Amino acid sequence: NAEYMGTYSRIPMLELSEDEIFPTSDRAKMKPASERWKSRWMFVVASIGSAIGFGNVWRFPYLVHTHGAAFYIPYVIATLFFAMPILLLEYAIGQFIQKPSVEAFEALSPRWRGVGWAGAVGNFLITVYYNVLISWSWVYMLLSFKPTLPWKSDTRVFFHD
């Protein structure tokens, strides 16, 4: 049962079952399919969480208050013209190639494999940094349950010595 792909194609499309293409013994050796997002909402929330980060939550309000529009305008320009296009390009590459970052950039060009590794190492370092910040938050939260705050008498000694 062969059909042709359009009027110009000479390659027949055969209807084969998965068992005919991949025998059961070969299926166990196959690499499992990459995981997919369960819903678009999960992808959007993860993307927002990845893009925003601690810097925009902690440091951004302080810098806008301190420097006013002198900080806000370059921030918006950098976000619109640099961060968003690079983020969308990375999403497009991942969607098109359907591989992890190192393999995806290597599929574009073997010389670009380092870009994938730089992203992986950068993600690892950011994760370590976030874990340190979260640990500090836990320590200060637990210390705040004491009857008297340890930093109440002399903050300079507590935080700097």
Side-chain angles (χ1 to χ4, degrees):
N1 185 8
E3 296 178 14
Y4 288 97
M5 296 172 35
T7 57
Y8 300 106
S9 176
R10 301 279 182 215
I11 302 171
M13 298 254 323
L14 300 174
E15 293 180 15
L16 298 173
S17 69
E18 189 175 323
D19 290 329
E20 293 172 304
I21 298 171
F22 301 110
T24 309
S25 61
D26 290 343
R27 229 184 277 156
K29 299 175 191 174
M30 288 176 47
K31 187 176 178 181
S34 61
E35 292 185 28
R36 308 247 184 233
W37 294 100
K38 302 261 189 274
S39 70
R40 287 185 182 189
W41 178 246
M42 288 176 67
F43 172 74
V44 168
V45 170
S47 298
I48 290 171
S50 173
I52 291 176
F54 273 139
N56 287 331
V57 176
W58 268 356
R59 191 103 169 112
F60 180 75
Y62 167 75
L63 290 173
V64 170
H65 174 72
T66 305
H67 302 291
F71 173 75
Y72 186 70
I73 293 169
Y75 176 82
V76 169
I77 290 171
T79 300
L80 291 176
F81 293 108
F82 296 106
M84 290 303 294
I86 291 172
L87 180 69
L88 293 174
L89 178 65
E90 186 177 353
Y91 288 162
I93 290 171
Q95 178 70 24
F96 178 71
I97 296 178
Q98 298 283 320
K99 291 183 180 180
S101 66
V102 176
E103 294 174 19
F105 281 104
E106 187 176 23
L108 293 174
S109 171
R111 292 181 180 181
W112 283 30
R113 186 173 191 204
V115 174
W117 277 110
V121 170
N123 283 334
F124 173 75
L125 294 175
I126 289 171
T127 302
V128 170
Y129 173 70
Y130 282 7
N131 282 325
V132 170
L133 292 177
I134 291 169
S135 299
W136 282 349
S137 300
W138 274 100
V139 166
Y140 291 131
M141 184 188 73
L142 294 174
L143 286 174
S144 71
F145 287 116
K146 288 186 170 185
T148 58
L149 296 175
W151 53 84
K152 185 176 181 181
S153 61
D154 192 4
T155 56
R156 186 167 303 278
V157 170
F158 181 80
F159 288 109
H160 298 290
D161 291 339

